[in-house]
Amino acid sequence: MVLNDLYSANSSAKIVQFADETKTLPDGSSIIYAESDGKIVLYHKRPFERGTTYIYERKSGKVFVNNKEGNNKDKREMLRLGSYLLEQAEESDLITLNVQSKGDK
C-alpha cells in the first residue's frame, strides 16, 4: 500500500515506522511516514477505523487523501500528523527502512 504509492521505475524510498508493530502513539493510533524523490506518503490508522493515506506530490504540490484530491486543510492535517509522530515517538522506538525498486542496482 504505502510502497505502491511511492514507487516509480528506478526509485528509492525511505520509510519510518515503529520497530515494534504493536506500539502505538498516545492516542492509540499508528503512523507510517514514507518519502521518495517525488512523493511523501503518510498512513494514519486509528483503532477500530479504516486507515487514511495522505499522498503529497512534490512536483505539483497536490495532496491526495485515500486517492481523492485533497485541499489545504488536508495538507495541514498531514503535517500535523507527521509532527505528532515526531513529538510523541522516541527515536529508539522507530526504524528507518531504505527501499529500492526492482529496477535499481
Side-chain angles (χ1 to χ4, degrees):
M1 176 248 353
V2 172
L3 286 176
N4 291 337
D5 293 326
L6 280 175
Y7 273 143
S8 59
N10 299 320
S11 69
S12 62
K14 183 182 291 186
I15 302 167
V16 178
Q17 66 184 44
F18 280 115
D20 177 356
E21 293 180 14
T22 63
K23 183 142 179 80
T24 62
L25 293 161
D27 68 358
S29 71
S30 59
I31 295 175
I32 299 172
Y33 171 88
E35 67 176 51
S36 66
D37 289 340
K39 297 178 183 178
I40 297 172
V41 177
L42 189 138
Y43 177 73
H44 182 230
K45 173 78 170 81
R46 290 183 173 99
F48 310 109
E49 294 182 17
R50 296 187 79 188
T52 303
T53 303
Y54 297 85
I55 302 171
Y56 176 77
E57 294 182 345
R58 294 179 192 262
K59 187 174 181 178
S60 68
K62 292 182 180 180
V63 67
F64 295 85
V65 181
N66 292 339
N67 296 319
K68 295 179 184 173
E69 190 166 348
N71 55 38
N72 284 333
K73 182 180 175 186
D74 296 316
K75 285 181 189 178
R76 286 190 297 275
E77 179 63 6
M78 183 179 178
L79 287 171
R80 185 192 72 77
L81 289 168
S83 295
Y84 181 60
L85 173 64
L86 294 175
E87 290 167 2
Q88 299 298 319
E90 295 293 327
E91 189 174 335
S92 60
D93 292 334
L94 298 174
I95 186 169
T96 301
L97 306 169
N98 291 303
V99 185
Q100 293 185 338
S101 68
K102 292 179 183 177
D104 284 352
K105 296 189 182 199

